Amino acid sequence: MSRRRTLGTKKKIALLVSAATVAGGGAFVMASTSNAAPTPKSASESTVCLGLATALGNNQKFIADQRANPDAQSEARIANREAVVAEIKRKQEASGCAVGESAQDSQTAQPSQPAQSAQPPAASAQPSQPVASAPAGDAGGGAAASGQQVCNGSTVTLSGEGGAPAASSNQFPAGTKLKVTNLDNDKSTTVEVTSVSGSCALLNNAAFEQVREPGKFLIRRALIEKVG
């Protein structure tokens, strides 16, 4: 009788251990599910992700343009921009954004320009106004006068490059000075164009830090002026 009781006790212990193991396994599965990595955010869901996607798109466009129209310096420029692209992708991952998502600068979509182009017939009686308005509406602005607003309708993002505060542009030659104002916080910086980019005006990391809002990589409402 004692042997049977002993065996019965052992079986009960074994069953209890098995049940605990199963329960523990279920808890582990639930914990694993709850700790799963969150779905990366897209540019349409986050201003931070949109800024990084825009910066990535601008740099990728610049690389594509350099490869399509190479010159003696293209190889070095492409190598530099590829390093910048890698850094932006690291920032996308760290910010919980979809890595590799890119978006082109909104400069091409300028709502104010169609209205301006429709005005000349009505203003034909005043020949001095069309002449004055043409440079102001010029997104390129290479020939814009000092103190004139340029890059109308363009957002501003970072190029991802290091170094002292500076800008890069596909419209202004090296040495041009631009004043960039973030209209959302009234911060501004005056920088010199030092290199070519795929957008009207891109700020490097140091310059962008001077005008950015905390946690954002895109300036939607920007005033850009050529000051030198």
Side-chain angles (χ1 to χ4, degrees), residues 138-162:
D138 180 14
S146 179
Q148 193 167 48
Q149 182 178 346
V150 294
C151 304
N152 294 346
S154 177
T155 58
V156 175
T157 186
L158 74 167
S159 66
E161 295 180 296

Side-chain angles (χ1 to χ4, degrees), residues 90-102:
R90 283 193 289 270
K91 289 182 178 179
Q92 285 180 319
E93 183 177 9
S95 301
C97 305
V99 178
E101 181 181 16
S102 65

